[in-house]
Amino acid sequence: MQKSIFQKYFTVFAALLICVMMILGGVLMAFAANYFRNERYQLLSENAGRAAEVILRDYRRNDDGTVSVSVVTPTFSVLAQAIDADFFFVHTNGRCELCTEQQPCVHMSYTVPEEILSAAQSGVFRETGKLGGIYQAAHYTVGMPVTENGSVLGYVFASTDTRALTNFLGSLSRMFLLSAILVLLIAFVVLYFVTLRLVRPLRDMSVAAHRFGEGDFSVRLQIADNDEIGQLARSLNRMAESLAVLEQTHHSFTSNVSHELRTPMTSIAGFIDGILDGTIPPQEHKKYLRIVSDEVRRLSRLVRSMLDLSRLEAGELQIKPTVFNAVEVICQTVFSFEKRIEEKGITMTGLDHEPVMVKADQDLIHQVLYNLMENAVKFTNENGEISVSFGADGNRTRIAVRNTGAGLSRDEVAQVFNRFYKADRSRGQDTSGAGLGLYIARSIVRLHGGEIRVVSEEGKYTEFSFTLPTEKNTRRYRDGGEQQA
């Protein structure tokens, strides 16, 4: 069964907590055992030293050079009871002479091995073991020599059972286990809610992404934090907004293109059928064939715009800069609209300007000027005016096309360069086309490193202006051409 991200996070962190507690418990037991062992050795050493002093004092009081068992034993017993240990004194040959375990001492029948005595003679002897077989279970044992004038009189040993360590560690482990269980329970509860809070936004994002995949871009994620997850949610919201706009634009584009294609094709088919079936008399053929020709050109422009848009978006459009006179190119563009200009009685100004030399792709700039001029002629009022002006904008040349007319609203100015955007049809102007001309114009100008702007005042005028590199101040374009420095 596939695990959810919540289960994965919770399992990993829970396992990590358990491992940490086990490691802490192991380290605690190791340090506690080592501390207990050192403490016991220290206690045995101190009391073994006191026992050795008692033996030595008794030896010095006796003139016969012996140790009085009856005198020394009570002191040994007190020391043994004080630290819960066995004390015994052995001769230099290893035979036990007195002990505190019981009387008569059971160790009297045992002999401490020579290697232990040698180790004790060189200093304080420590061992965790059975002391050469004297004990049946492991004991902590400390031994030291009793010397007088450099002569060893015997050896004092103090031993205690290692079960005390076992009991100590058992008590400590039980305390640690209870504490660890309590801490883990609290940690698991906190971890559960923290993981749930961490995972919930991811679940919401998964649901939102699924809705996006189904084409529903109305879903928006709630952003509570500004961390990485919050930034991801914000990015998804922006993506949804962009996709919604793109979806709406595509619907609008499909509707516009369908309309623009259907209208001329219907006209073409109707006129041709009329000519073929004789509905249109022969003397009218030339008139209607001219209309068919205009509609075919209209279809051609639409298809060309769509192809240009496809090349722009695919990054296939490369510029080939040359030096040319921008005024001459504008005049050529105006001649393309001479008939429509005359029909509307439009006055053209600014075409008698002195040559303005720029360095750009002449064919692409001609397309920009064509789109701007077509837009100006289309929306200029009857007997209105279109003016062309030139100016310097820093190290660049600015070209502006202004036309009188209804102008654009503030909302239209903000959207006029969007793909497939068309001005409000309620203005009663010629709004044919698919709304691609200005978008393509902006894309071409940006390929040249320039910028295109629009300024408009409703009921008065609209002005489009763009910048190009000047001929005398250029540098290499990124795509292999040249660009203004």
Side-chain angles (χ1 to χ4, degrees):
M1 185 179 69
Q2 183 180 7
K3 285 188 175 181
S4 66
I5 191 171
F6 174 81
Q7 291 175 306
K8 291 179 180 179
Y9 270 96
F10 187 82
T11 301
V12 168
F13 286 125
L16 181 62
L17 281 174
I18 292 174
C19 289
V20 168
M21 295 303 293
M22 291 177 63
I23 292 173
L24 286 176
V27 171
L28 176 62
M29 292 298 109
F31 274 104
N34 186 63
Y35 175 80
F36 183 87
R37 189 179 299 110
N38 291 335
E39 189 271 338
R40 298 303 286 181
Y41 278 133
Q42 181 68 25
L43 188 61
L44 290 172
S45 297
E46 292 176 356
N47 285 276
R50 295 189 181 96
E53 292 176 359
V54 171
I55 294 291
L56 187 58
R57 285 198 301 268
D58 184 72
Y59 173 82
R60 290 172 179 172
R61 282 198 299 266
N62 296 329
D63 296 333
D64 56 0
T66 61
V67 176
S68 301
V69 175
S70 59
V71 176
V72 174
T73 299
T75 304
F76 272 40
S77 297
V78 172
L79 293 174
Q81 292 176 1
I83 63 172
D84 191 22
D86 296 331
F87 284 82
F88 50 94
F89 176 69
V90 300
H91 197 266
T92 54
N93 59 10
R95 298 289 297 177
C96 182
E97 295 187 1
L98 68 90
C99 75
T100 59
E101 185 178 4
Q102 62 184 16
Q103 295 293 340
C105 183
V106 297
H107 299 319
M108 294 293 188
S109 59
Y110 293 101
T111 301
V112 177
E114 180 64 28
E115 60 271 16
I116 295 178
L117 296 179
S118 299
Q121 185 175 358
S122 61
V124 177
F125 167 77
R126 290 184 176 184
E127 180 195 65
T128 301
K130 298 180 180 180
L131 196 60
I134 292 179
Y135 291 109
Q136 294 181 354
H139 279 60
Y140 297 126
T141 301
V142 171
M144 60 181 59
V146 181
T147 59
E148 176 66 14
N149 297 326
S151 176
V152 178
L153 304 179
Y155 302 90
V156 173
F157 289 90
S159 296
T160 186
D161 199 335
T162 57
R163 286 178 297 183
L165 174 61
T166 304
N167 296 334
F168 171 72
L169 292 180
S171 300
L172 183 62
S173 62
R174 285 190 294 272
M175 292 175 58
F176 177 80
L177 183 60
L178 291 175
S179 301
I181 291 174
L182 180 60
V183 170
L184 287 175
L185 286 175
I186 296 174
F188 285 161
V189 172
V190 174
L191 178 62
Y192 176 84
F193 289 103
V194 169
T195 306
L196 190 63
R197 185 176 183 273
L198 179 67
V199 171
R200 185 179 291 113
L202 299 179
R203 289 178 175 173
D204 295 340
M205 292 179 196
S206 177
V207 173
H210 183 72
R211 297 275 294 276
F212 296 161
E214 293 178 345
D216 181 8
F217 305 116
S218 62
V219 181
R220 294 295 180 269
L221 296 167
Q222 300 298 322
I223 302 172
D225 300 313
N226 196 32
D227 54 9
E228 288 82 356
I229 294 179
Q231 293 173 5
L232 177 59
R234 191 173 287 105
S235 298
L236 286 175
N237 284 341
R238 286 198 295 267
M239 182 187 73
E241 293 171 0
S242 299
L243 290 174
V245 172
L246 183 61
E247 185 75 9
Q248 182 180 0
T249 303
H250 281 173
H251 284 307
S252 175
F253 171 68
T254 302
S255 175
N256 290 337
V257 170
S258 298
H259 174 76
E260 298 300 333
L261 290 174
R262 183 173 60 252
T263 302
M265 286 191 298
T266 301
S267 299
I268 292 171
F271 293 141
I272 291 179
D273 289 342
I275 292 174
L276 292 176
D277 61 18
T279 303
I280 299 176
Q283 61 271 21
E284 298 290 333
H285 285 183
K286 185 175 181 180
K287 171 184 175 182
Y288 288 100
L289 286 175
R290 186 176 293 108
I291 296 175
V292 169
S293 177
D294 292 339
E295 293 298 331
V296 170
R297 290 191 183 93
R298 179 179 174 187
L299 284 174
S300 177
R301 289 196 303 272
L302 177 61
V303 172
R304 184 184 62 188
S305 296
M306 295 176 65
L307 290 175
D308 290 341
L309 177 63
S310 176
R311 292 174 62 197
L312 282 169
E313 293 184 338
E316 298 175 355
L317 196 62
Q318 301 294 322
I319 62 174
K320 299 176 182 178
T322 59
V323 178
F324 63 91
N325 182 6
V327 178
E328 182 179 346
V329 174
I330 292 177
C331 290
Q332 294 173 356
T333 305
V334 172
F335 292 151
S336 302
F337 299 95
E338 183 177 8
K339 182 178 180 181
R340 295 172 62 183
I341 290 174
E342 290 178 354
E343 289 175 350
K344 296 184 72 172
I346 297 174
T347 302
M348 293 295 307
T349 61
L351 298 180
D352 56 349
H353 197 281
E354 62 183 9
V356 176
M357 307 305 294
V358 296
K359 191 149 190 173
D361 189 309
Q362 184 171 346
D363 291 337
L364 294 180
I365 297 305
H366 179 272
Q367 185 174 356
V368 172
L369 291 169
Y370 186 94
N371 292 346
L372 295 182
M373 193 60 65
E374 181 183 37
N375 194 73
V377 172
K378 184 186 301 183
F379 291 101
T380 300
N381 56 310
E382 295 289 337
N383 300 318
E385 178 183 346
I386 298 177
S387 61
V388 181
S389 60
F390 303 87
D393 188 356
N395 294 325
R396 309 181 74 82
T397 297
R398 178 172 294 279
I399 302 173
V401 177
R402 173 185 288 216
N403 67 277
T404 59
L408 298 172
S409 66
R410 181 175 300 179
D411 292 338
E412 288 175 327
V413 168
Q415 302 181 65
V416 72
F417 290 111
N418 292 343
R419 288 184 302 175
F420 318 127
Y421 178 77
K422 300 181 70 174
D424 188 359
R425 293 182 180 271
S426 65
R427 295 181 181 274
Q429 303 288 348
D430 177 12
T431 56
S432 61
L436 298 175
L438 293 178
Y439 174 80
I440 292 174
R442 184 179 65 174
S443 300
I444 292 174
V445 171
R446 287 182 174 179
L447 277 177
H448 288 78
E451 192 61 54
I452 188 169
R453 300 174 183 173
V454 58
V455 178
S456 181
E457 185 175 346
E458 286 191 85
K460 292 186 177 180
Y461 72 92
T462 300
E463 179 181 277
F464 289 90
S465 63
F466 63 96
T467 60
L468 291 175
T470 59
E471 183 275 333
K472 61 182 178 179
N473 193 13
T474 60
R475 63 178 174 84
R476 291 288 176 185
Y477 280 107
R478 289 190 295 272
D479 60 0
E482 293 186 359
Q483 184 181 11
Q484 178 191 354

